């Protein structure tokens, strides 16, 4: 492995945007992808969503980043080459790659279709691949990935607005299904109406649930109800509203990635209610135990989903016409987009038009 010469370690030339240090500033980067192996799918990247995780990673806020770092795990494009043993895809297919590009394929988690919980799961970027090389993400012109970790994007979904479903979509779909919050008549709360939350509202509504959006911002009430179809809206800082809603929710999906109190959320749950955390705050949250005991409530977590479920989520999204609300940007706007994302100034997901705007030189 020639780690200091990324453009020479593999035979396929590639070009993208990389952060070189924790300043997080992205700049042009020449590197390389592996040749298409017998089980590999090679595709031209058309669009790539910008996830809040990308912001954490370029700045090394979780302490796991390796530089140079090419972010991006909401990647969609068009197949240009397939390996000799690829069975699921052909040249010209619309495909996507989400948060992982590999796993051990043999542990209990992999055998049960939850590769996302494999101890050897390989992240789409800043991970170490089976051959010892570092993985690079979708802020780039080309991807090569084992077909097992590639999904088909249904024709009914526009590629640009489907891209964020590969992270944001599955991050909300999976816990709704797993924790039984996907049934008609169930009352679900969604905390935060950002890149994750707005997709969660759409999925929960399509599953037949009654949905309450919980937010610190009263200004989001109109868009939550009129634009995204939520049934009701709670301002989490309004003590009267929160008190009136105590014990009314079957489950809550908490998408907030900043440190925040969860005691008030636990209070909103009915007996046997479930608070599911999908945001990833940098510091630990305080967990009060008595409110859990007094109602047999649970606090759980969820992280993306397995490959079979990710395909199922895309097919469900196509059937119910669910996409992310996006702002399409050019590649040269990406640093400004990161600054805006840090301030929460986006409705609701930036998507880079890679194919048209990522220019070399």
């Amino acid at each position: 492995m020639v780690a200091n010469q990324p453009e020479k370690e593999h035979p396929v030339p590639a070009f993208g945007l990389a952060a070189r240090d924790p300043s997080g500033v992205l700049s042009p980067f020449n590197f390389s992808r592996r040749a298409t192996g017998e089980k590999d799918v090679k595709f031209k990247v058309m669009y790539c969503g910008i996830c809040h995780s990308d912001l954490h990673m370029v700045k090394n806020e979780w302490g796991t980043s390796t530089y140079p770092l090419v972010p991006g795990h909401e990647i969609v494009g068009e197949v240009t080459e397939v390996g000799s043993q690829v069975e699921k895809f052909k040249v010209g297919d619309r495909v996507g790659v989400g948060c992982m590009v590999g796993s051990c394929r043999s542990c209990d988690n992999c055998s049960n279709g939850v590769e996302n919980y494999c101890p050897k799961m390989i992240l789409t970027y800043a991970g170490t691949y089976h051959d010892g090389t570092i993985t690079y993400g979708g802020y780039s012109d080309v991807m090569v990935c084992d077909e097992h970790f590639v999904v088909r994007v249904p024709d009914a979904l526009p590629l640009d607005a489907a891209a964020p479903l590969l992270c944001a979509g599955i991050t909300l779909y999976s816990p709704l299904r797993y924790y039984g919050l996907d049934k008609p008549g169930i009352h679900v709360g969604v905390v935060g109406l950002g890149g994750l939350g707005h997709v969660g509202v759409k999925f929960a509504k399509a599953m037949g649930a009654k949905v309450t959006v919980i937010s610190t911002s009263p200004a989001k009430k109109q868009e939550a109800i009129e634009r995204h179809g939520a049934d009701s809206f709670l301002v989490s800082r309004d003590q009267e509203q929160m008190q009136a809603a105590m014990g009314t929710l079957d489950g809550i999906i908490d998408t907030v990635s900043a440190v925040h109190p969860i005691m008030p959320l636990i209070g909103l749950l009915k007996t046997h209610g479930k608070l599911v955390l999908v945001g990833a705050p940098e510091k630990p949250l305080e967990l009060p135990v008595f409110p859990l005991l007094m109602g047999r409530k649970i606090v759980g977590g969820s992280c993306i989903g397995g490959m079979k479920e990710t395909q199922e989520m895309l097919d469900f999204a196509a059937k119910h016409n669910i996409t992310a609300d996006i702002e399409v940007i050019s590649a040269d706007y990406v640093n400004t987009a990161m600054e805006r994302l840090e301030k929460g100034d986006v409705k609701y997901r930036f998507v880079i038009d890679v194919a048209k705007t990522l220019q070399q030189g």
Side-chain angles (χ1 to χ4, degrees):
M1 171 181 161
V2 191
N4 60 345
Q5 290 187 301
E7 72 275 19
K8 293 182 180 174
E9 67 185 351
H10 294 302
V12 179
F15 177 70
L17 299 170
R20 303 321 205 274
D21 56 53
S23 72
V25 175
L26 292 148
S27 56
F29 177 56
N30 288 294
F31 65 109
S32 54
R33 300 283 191 193
R34 69 178 183 269
T36 308
E38 55 187 22
K39 296 290 286 180
D40 283 338
V41 172
K42 179 182 176 185
F43 67 92
K44 176 184 179 181
V45 177
M46 307 297 283
Y47 297 97
C48 185
I50 296 181
C51 175
H52 212 279
S53 306
D54 299 345
L55 183 59
H56 287 299
M57 288 295 288
V58 295
K59 292 176 177 287
N60 196 24
E61 288 173 348
W62 290 332
T64 58
S65 303
T66 51
Y67 298 100
L69 185 146
V70 177
H73 58 209
E74 299 179 341
I75 315 161
V76 293
E78 193 172 290
V79 176
T80 56
E81 186 180 14
V82 295
S84 59
Q85 292 187 29
V86 167
E87 296 169 2
K88 295 193 291 184
F89 304 99
K90 64 183 188 307
V91 172
D93 282 353
R94 293 153 38 99
V95 296
V97 167
C99 302
M100 57 181 163
V101 292
S103 68
C104 80
R105 307 286 296 279
S106 59
C107 68
D108 282 352
N109 287 326
C110 288
S111 301
N112 290 313
V114 283
E115 303 92 337
N116 47 313
Y117 300 122
C118 172
K120 295 182 179 175
M121 188 259 281
I122 301 170
L123 293 169
T124 300
Y125 66 85
T128 304
Y129 201 63
H130 300 299
D131 61 5
T133 59
I134 299 300
T135 57
Y136 295 119
Y139 296 17
S140 60
D141 57 357
V142 62
M143 282 292 293
V144 179
C145 185
D146 185 297
E147 74 164 333
H148 183 78
F149 297 93
V150 178
V151 287
R152 182 179 305 282
V153 180
D155 290 339
L157 294 174
L159 277 179
D160 53 0
L165 298 179
L166 293 164
C167 174
I170 188 61
T171 295
L172 274 295
Y173 181 91
S174 186
L176 286 167
R177 288 283 195 224
Y178 178 78
Y179 287 98
L181 303 175
D182 58 346
K183 295 167 184 63
I186 290 270
H187 193 171
V188 177
V190 176
V191 187
L193 193 68
L196 294 175
H198 86 285
V199 177
V201 173
K202 294 180 184 185
F203 275 120
K205 285 299 294 179
M207 291 167 178
K210 180 182 175 187
V211 180
T212 295
V213 170
I214 304 158
S215 173
T216 56
S217 172
K220 290 191 174 179
K221 179 174 182 176
Q222 188 175 355
E223 61 196 75
I225 292 172
E226 293 179 12
R227 184 169 167 181
H228 301 304
D231 297 282
S232 54
F233 187 88
L234 276 177
V235 179
S236 56
R237 292 185 173 133
D238 186 319
Q239 296 301 319
E240 281 185 29
Q241 282 189 28
M242 293 292 280
Q243 192 65 36
M246 292 276 277
T248 61
L249 301 179
D250 295 291
I252 297 173
I253 308 285
D254 183 350
T255 72
V256 176
S257 58
V259 175
H260 61 291
I262 58 173
M263 176 95 163
L265 300 177
I266 293 170
L268 294 173
L269 294 171
K270 297 177 183 176
T271 301
H272 304 146
K274 302 159 186 173
L275 170 62
V276 186
L277 307 174
V278 298
E282 292 166 47
K283 294 175 184 167
L285 301 180
E286 216 169 276
L287 180 65
V289 175
F290 273 103
L292 300 180
L293 306 181
M294 307 312 292
R296 201 192 270 161
K297 300 173 184 180
I298 66 169
V299 176
S302 187
C303 182
I304 58 169
M307 295 314 304
K308 183 180 177 188
E309 189 174 47
T310 303
Q311 186 65 62
E312 179 189 296
M313 175 275 303
L314 283 174
D315 295 340
F316 182 90
K319 182 179 177 183
H320 294 276
N321 196 27
I322 295 171
T323 54
D325 288 26
I326 60 170
E327 180 178 332
V328 178
I329 63 165
S330 62
D332 60 8
Y333 188 77
V334 71
N335 287 307
T336 306
M338 287 288 190
E339 288 170 15
R340 284 179 54 193
L341 180 59
E342 198 157 24
K343 296 176 194 158
D345 176 25
V346 57
K347 288 184 179 174
Y348 286 88
R349 207 64 153 186
F350 287 116
V351 173
I352 307 166
D353 186 338
V354 175
K356 285 187 185 159
T357 69
L358 183 65
Q359 305 294 336
Q360 192 160 6

